[in-house]
């Protein structure tokens, strides 16, 4: 093991620094895993007992891989080394000390389905939600409870940030959370969250055990430290002590899991928590060519709080990333397909990835790829054709074209209470044998059945373009969406908006339905050969491709609408952008559509480029614009970074609140709400009260005091 030839200077420094607290800031593609592996091997070579090493990771697979590679270097296994996840370490420790945490007879660890079942039983015991079809499902109840615990914030705060539409159930959620906790204590049960919080409590209050573990684990290493939550950071502090031999490895710029409870402050504050911390930066990148790194360095330059780093590479290459400006999001899909076809001549298709902020953003591209016969595999989010609400609407469209489609009837009527497969078969038979008597009886018994049949009759008489038919159908489907998917209908609304965008490109309903039906089998977990990769940025972390295309780099899409309400969320969006761009090895293309189709108006609304794009100096990319003839042409346009005194988003005036009377619009226009974002005012039913259509949330009636008029 020659550390001088097999490691660069920074990696070698990290390996050789074995005493005291160490923070390794490992930039993207900088050989983080290699550094950990060689440090494990070096410690053992220096005479450290493998049993005195504790390696904490976020997946069992990564811990096993590191220990295996270190063992290969040493020529013998490291079976005595404790390596695994925080949860597995907590479980083993708690089992040995069950009496000290209030379980003298031991405890049972519940899996996800067990936890959901307990939530359901507690809800029923409390007699909550009876007769309320919109009541949150057991999975959603558990999600709200576990997010509250992992982020260590009240459930009310979780609802305000992530699920505002569930706010009416706040009192119920708090009651269920209390009942859930009591049920676990009563039956000696723990869930995955309990493992961490019980260990934290045990270590905080049991000094002999704390000292025993510190003596046993003289060397602690933690991988992906930027992904730790607050309780995990406290556990590390308990185990390491004030100045223990603890090495945290991670990258503050890749902290993108706040929605799971990860807290970037853990890695940023590490030097303050552990006095005398030595900070080592791994900045040499072994993945990407320098022009790509020049762009990603500029993205990080604008971060408010960070560890400074400058990624560099020895890989040859001088081609700048491309910043492509399609005329609209409707032409973006076609241009991306053209780029994929072009890149496919240079790289295998599975080495080409299209990344996006949210799963619904790839829907138009999925249709376009299917139409030209390009195979794809999607990671993160739901494939367009697999989304339940999309299937609902497509079933209704199929019935507009073909009333003999029995499978579509089953889908279209499944939400009607009291109408199961047998009843659907009877209705189907009655419609095709002109059994008016049975249909009259059925529609009298099931009012919503009558509504569906009447709506389909009206749609069949419309004719015209698919977009017009879909426009009317989506208005009809909106209450069904809310009733059928009460837990997450705001998120599903975005997919319906994309379906409306797709329909604009068709003049024939049969052709549209045909293209939407030509989807392959659901993707398997393993990577497919010769299939272009579609992925959310979150799912892309840790992966790499020869060519990366990043789409929808406009406000409200990247960054997301919700993130633009809070500075800390905007910082995470910046880190997402950094993660996305650093996935590219040789080629990076960024798409910034100039307008986005608005289904309500039937027109395209102009967009604002993502602030992360606006910050980029024009020296780090080649600007390319779509001409009105459909081609692409290079257009150099100065875009330098704003001066320090220039106005930024953070300098913008705050939204109007109840303490500050709103401006009264002379005519109906647009406004901003702190929760729902930007919306269009469509009516003013009474003084200081407005009906506003918020994309993704639908029509809301809002008191004017809570709106900022634009």
């Amino acid at each position: 093991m020659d550390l001088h030839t097999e490691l660069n200077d920074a990696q070698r420094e990290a390996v050789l620094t074995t005493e005291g607290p160490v923070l390794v800031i490992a930039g993207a593609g900088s050989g983080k895993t290699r550094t950990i592996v060689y440090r494990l091997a070096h410690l053992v070579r220096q005479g450290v007992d493998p049993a005195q090493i504790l390696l904490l990771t976020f997946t069992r697979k990564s811990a096993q891989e590191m220990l295996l590679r270190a063992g290969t270097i040493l020529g013998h296994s490291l079976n005595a080394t404790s390596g695994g996840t925080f949860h597995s370490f907590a479980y083993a420790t708690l089992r040995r000390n069950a009496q000290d945490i209030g379980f003298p007879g031991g405890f049972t660890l519940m899996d996800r389905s067990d936890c959901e079942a307990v939530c359901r039983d507690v809800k029923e015991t409390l007699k909550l939600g009876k007769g309320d079809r919109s009541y949150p499902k057991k999975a959603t109840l558990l999600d709200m409870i576990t997010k509250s615990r992992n982020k260590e914030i009240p459930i009310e705060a979780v609802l305000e940030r992530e699920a505002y539409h569930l706010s009416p159930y706040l009192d119920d959620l708090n009651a269920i959370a209390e009942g859930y906790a009591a049920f676990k204590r009563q039956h000696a049960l723990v869930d995955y969250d309990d493992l961490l919080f019980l260990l934290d409590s045990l270590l905080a209050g049991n000094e002999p055990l704390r000292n025993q573990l510190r003596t046993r684990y003289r060397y602690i290493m933690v991988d992906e430290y930027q992904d730790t939550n607050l309780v995990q950071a406290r556990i590390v502090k308990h185990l390491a002590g004030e100045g223990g031999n603890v090495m945290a490895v991670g990258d503050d710029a890749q902290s993108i899991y706040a929605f799971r409870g990860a807290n970037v402050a853990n890695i940023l504050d590490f030097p303050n928590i552990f006095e005398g911390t030595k900070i080592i930066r791994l900045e040499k990148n072994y993945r990407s060519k320098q022009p790509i790194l020049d762009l990603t360095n500029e993205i990080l330059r604008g971060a408010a709080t960070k560890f400074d780093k400058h990624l560099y590479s020895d890989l040859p290459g001088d081609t700048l990333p491309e910043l492509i400006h399609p005329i609209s999001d409707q032409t973006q899909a076609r241009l991306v397909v053209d780029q994929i076809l072009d890149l496919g001549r240079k790289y295998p298709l599975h080495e080409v990835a299209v990344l996006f902020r949210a799963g619904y953003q790839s829907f138009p591209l999925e249709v376009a790829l299917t139409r030209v016969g390009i195979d794809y595999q999607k990671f993160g989010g739901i494939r367009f054709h697999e989304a339940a609400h999309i299937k609902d609407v497509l079933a209704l469209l199929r019935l507009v074209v073909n009333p003999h489609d029995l499978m579509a009837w089953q889908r279209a009527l499944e939400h009607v209470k009291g109408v199961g497969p047998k009843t659907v078969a009877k209705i189907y038979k009655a419609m095709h044998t002109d059994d008016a008597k049975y249909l009259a009886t059925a529609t009298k018994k099931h009012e919503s059945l009558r509504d569906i049949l009447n709506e389909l009759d009206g749609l069949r008489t419309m004719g015209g373009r698919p977009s017009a038919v879909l426009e009317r159908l989506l208005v009809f489907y909106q209450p069904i969406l809310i009733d059928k998917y009460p837990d997450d209908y705001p998120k599903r609304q975005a997919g319906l908006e994309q379906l409306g965008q797709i329909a604009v490109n068709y003049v024939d309903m049969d052709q549209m339905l045909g293209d939407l039906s030509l989807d392959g089998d659901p993707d398997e977990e393993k990577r497919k050969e010769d299939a272009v990769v579609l992925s959310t940025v979150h799912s892309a972390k840790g992966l790499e491709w020869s060519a990366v295309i990043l789409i929808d780099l406009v406000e409200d899409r990247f960054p997301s609408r919700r993130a633009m309400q809070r500075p800390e969320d905007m910082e995470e969006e910046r880190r997402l952008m950094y993660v996305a761009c650093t996935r590219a090895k040789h080629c990076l293309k960024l798409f910034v559509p100039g307008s986005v189709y608005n289904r309500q108006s039937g027109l395209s609304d102009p967009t604002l480029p993502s602030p992360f794009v606006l910050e980029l100096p024009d020296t780090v990319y080649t600007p390319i614009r779509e001409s009105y003839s459909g081609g692409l042409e290079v257009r150099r346009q100065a875009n330098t970074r704003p001066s320090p005194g220039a106005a930024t988003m953070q300098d913008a005036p705050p939204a109007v609140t109840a303490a500050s009377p709103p401006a009264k619009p002379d005519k109906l226009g647009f406004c901003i709400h702190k929760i729902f974002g930007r919306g269009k005012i469509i009516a003013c039913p009474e003084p200081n009260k407005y009906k506003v259509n918020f994309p993704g949330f639908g029509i809301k009636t809002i008191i004017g005091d809570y709106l900022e008029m634009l």
Side-chain angles (χ1 to χ4, degrees):
M1 183 175 71
D2 188 345
L3 300 182
H4 290 278
T5 60
E6 297 174 30
L7 301 172
N8 63 40
D9 291 344
Q11 291 172 333
R12 187 164 53 253
E13 183 181 11
V15 168
L16 295 177
T17 305
T18 58
E19 304 302 312
V22 183
L23 176 61
V24 178
I25 302 299
S30 61
K32 166 181 69 73
T33 301
R34 184 179 184 83
T35 302
I36 295 174
V37 167
Y38 271 81
R39 191 172 192 264
L40 283 168
H42 175 70
L43 285 170
V44 176
R45 278 271 175 91
Q46 295 301 112
V48 174
D49 183 347
Q52 292 188 309
I53 302 173
L54 173 63
L55 173 64
L56 294 173
T57 63
F58 277 84
T59 67
R60 183 174 59 178
K61 180 180 178 182
S62 62
Q64 291 174 337
E65 178 189 348
M66 291 176 189
L67 293 174
L68 181 63
R69 287 174 57 180
T72 300
I73 293 172
L74 291 168
H76 59 82
S77 69
L78 291 179
N79 291 335
T81 298
S82 296
T85 65
F86 276 90
H87 291 89
S88 63
F89 174 76
Y91 181 71
T93 305
L94 294 173
R95 293 291 289 182
R96 292 193 297 268
N97 300 273
Q99 184 160 344
D100 293 335
I101 58 172
F103 297 116
F107 60 85
T108 300
L109 178 63
M110 300 188 295
D111 61 17
R112 172 79 189 194
S113 62
D114 295 330
C115 297
E116 290 182 4
V118 172
C119 286
R120 178 200 62 211
D121 293 347
V122 169
K123 182 197 78 169
E124 293 175 354
T125 300
L126 295 173
K127 295 182 170 55
L128 299 174
K130 285 193 173 182
D132 184 355
R133 295 185 61 185
S134 298
Y135 205 85
K137 297 180 178 63
K138 59 184 180 182
T140 301
L141 296 173
L142 181 62
D143 284 343
M144 296 302 104
I145 293 170
T146 194
K147 283 188 176 186
S148 170
R149 295 195 70 197
N150 275 290
K151 296 185 177 186
E152 300 187 37
I153 58 176
I155 290 177
E156 181 178 11
V158 176
L159 297 183
E160 182 178 342
R161 297 179 188 181
E162 302 182 29
Y164 191 76
H165 60 291
L166 298 179
S167 295
Y169 300 104
L170 173 60
D171 291 342
D172 285 14
L173 283 166
N174 283 325
I176 292 170
E178 291 177 10
Y180 175 71
F183 184 95
K184 289 186 295 179
R185 287 194 300 269
Q186 181 181 352
H187 296 87
L189 299 170
V190 300
D191 60 21
Y192 272 67
D193 298 333
D194 292 325
L195 292 177
L196 300 181
F197 286 98
L198 287 171
L199 179 60
D200 175 35
S201 178
L202 176 64
L203 294 177
N206 190 327
E207 185 177 2
L209 175 63
R210 194 168 63 241
N211 290 334
Q212 175 191 335
L213 291 174
R214 287 178 183 177
T215 301
R216 177 178 177 183
Y217 298 117
R218 290 180 51 223
Y219 296 90
I220 301 171
M221 284 188 277
V222 187
D223 188 24
E224 303 284 13
Y225 200 78
Q226 78 280 350
D227 293 337
T228 56
N229 60 17
L230 293 172
V231 66
Q232 287 166 327
R234 291 197 297 271
I235 289 171
V236 172
K237 177 69 179 296
H238 290 317
L239 294 172
E242 294 293 332
N245 299 327
V246 54
M247 172 184 275
V249 183
D251 183 3
D252 56 297
Q254 295 187 69
S255 180
I256 60 172
Y257 294 123
F259 66 94
R260 296 181 187 169
N263 195 320
V264 69
N266 288 343
I267 191 168
L268 293 173
D269 292 343
F270 188 91
N272 300 324
I273 295 171
F274 295 95
E275 187 177 346
T277 293
K278 182 172 186 177
I279 301 175
I280 301 171
R281 292 171 172 82
L282 305 185
E283 298 175 298
K284 183 172 183 178
N285 180 284
Y286 293 91
R287 174 189 299 151
S288 307
K289 295 186 176 181
Q290 191 60 47
I292 294 173
L293 299 180
D294 290 339
L295 185 144
T296 58
N297 285 333
E298 291 297 333
I299 294 171
L300 290 187
R301 188 189 295 269
T305 309
K306 63 182 184 294
F307 286 106
D308 287 327
K309 67 175 76 68
H310 184 84
L311 300 181
Y312 67 94
S313 172
D314 291 339
L315 299 174
D318 55 7
T319 303
L320 293 178
E322 294 177 350
L323 191 63
I324 301 174
H325 294 267
I327 293 173
S328 71
D329 60 341
Q330 297 179 64
T331 62
Q332 176 180 246
R334 174 181 58 80
L335 293 176
V336 170
V337 169
D338 290 344
Q339 294 291 321
I340 291 170
L341 289 170
D342 185 53
L343 291 167
R345 300 186 187 99
K346 190 173 182 181
Y347 310 109
L349 275 181
H350 57 267
E351 277 294 317
V352 178
V354 181
L355 305 184
F356 32 86
R357 173 65 181 83
Y360 75 86
Q361 291 172 264
S362 70
F363 289 172
L365 179 58
E366 292 178 47
V367 176
L369 290 171
T370 300
R371 189 183 305 145
V372 299
I374 298 178
D375 194 14
Y376 68 90
Q377 185 175 23
K378 185 173 180 179
F379 298 92
I382 300 174
R383 283 167 64 105
F384 183 58
H385 307 76
E386 296 172 0
H389 54 295
I390 299 296
K391 288 182 177 181
D392 292 345
V393 174
L394 291 181
L396 291 166
L397 287 177
R398 285 161 56 182
L399 291 174
V400 172
V401 175
N402 176 19
H404 300 285
D405 188 338
L406 176 59
M407 299 303 294
W409 279 114
Q410 291 176 346
R411 182 88 200 185
L413 301 181
E414 69 177 7
H415 74 283
V416 180
K417 191 174 182 180
V419 176
K422 292 182 180 179
T423 305
V424 171
K426 292 178 182 178
I427 294 170
Y428 180 84
K429 181 179 179 181
M431 284 189 295
H432 291 84
T433 58
D434 295 324
D435 188 346
K437 183 178 179 181
Y438 179 84
L439 287 176
T441 302
T443 53
K444 184 177 181 181
K445 183 178 180 181
H446 306 289
E447 183 179 349
S448 54
L449 170 62
R450 183 180 68 247
D451 293 341
I452 291 175
L453 296 179
N454 290 339
E455 179 67 16
L456 288 172
D457 286 340
L459 292 172
R460 290 192 190 101
T461 62
M462 281 185 63
R465 297 178 67 95
S467 57
V469 176
L470 182 63
E471 173 70 22
R472 172 173 165 174
L473 177 58
L474 290 179
V475 173
F476 172 79
Y477 179 72
Q478 184 70 20
I480 299 175
L481 175 76
I482 296 173
D483 179 67
K484 194 173 179 181
Y485 308 104
D487 294 38
D488 61 355
Y489 68 86
K491 291 182 180 179
R492 294 178 184 268
Q493 186 68 43
L496 297 178
E497 296 289 335
Q498 291 296 305
L499 182 59
Q501 173 190 318
I502 292 167
V504 172
N505 299 309
Y506 288 88
V507 295
D508 180 78
M509 183 70 78
D510 280 326
Q511 181 64 49
M512 186 181 90
L513 290 173
D515 285 348
L516 291 172
S517 300
L518 290 173
D519 192 34
D521 296 329
D523 295 323
E524 298 177 1
E525 188 67 26
K526 65 179 183 178
R527 297 277 291 271
K528 292 166 65 174
E529 295 291 319
D530 295 322
V532 67
V533 174
L534 309 183
S535 177
T536 61
V537 181
H538 283 101
S539 295
K541 185 173 179 290
L543 303 176
E544 59 183 42
W545 295 273
S546 295
V548 168
I549 299 171
L550 187 55
I551 64 172
D552 276 352
L553 289 172
V554 295
E555 284 193 7
D556 288 355
R557 294 194 174 185
F558 203 148
S560 67
R561 181 184 301 117
R562 183 180 288 113
M564 297 181 71
Q565 311 297 324
R566 288 158 40 95
E568 58 265 44
D569 291 343
M570 279 294 290
E571 286 297 293
E572 178 149 326
E573 295 287 308
R574 178 185 299 279
R575 298 192 293 267
L576 267 175
M577 178 83 168
Y578 166 79
V579 167
C581 293
T582 53
R583 301 308 96 196
K585 294 191 287 188
H586 308 306
C587 176
L588 176 63
K589 298 174 185 283
L590 311 178
F591 275 75
V592 187
S595 63
V596 172
Y597 178 71
N598 184 321
R599 185 175 59 81
Q600 280 74 27
S601 67
L603 303 172
S604 288
D605 294 336
T607 61
L608 289 174
S610 168
F612 312 131
V613 169
L614 292 176
E615 290 175 0
L616 295 174
D618 65 352
T619 54
V620 299
Y621 62 81
T622 299
I624 299 177
R625 295 185 179 273
E626 180 187 8
S627 66
Y628 286 101
S629 63
L632 293 176
E633 50 191 47
V634 176
R635 291 190 184 178
R636 176 58 63 185
Q637 176 177 320
N639 181 25
T640 54
R641 192 180 306 105
S643 63
T648 64
M649 283 193 59
Q650 286 74 21
D651 300 320
V656 178
T657 66
S660 174
K664 295 190 182 298
D666 296 327
K667 59 181 181 178
L668 301 184
F670 292 91
C671 63
I672 290 179
H673 185 270
K674 71 174 184 177
I675 300 298
F676 303 117
R678 188 174 187 268
K680 184 176 183 180
I681 301 171
I682 59 175
C684 184
E686 55 185 276
N688 202 33
K689 189 173 286 188
Y690 302 94
K691 281 193 173 183
V692 186
N693 189 358
F694 294 102
F697 295 95
I699 297 173
K700 308 284 184 184
T701 300
I702 306 285
I703 295 174
D705 295 344
Y706 297 97
L707 297 174
E708 177 186 0
M709 304 302 176
L710 299 178

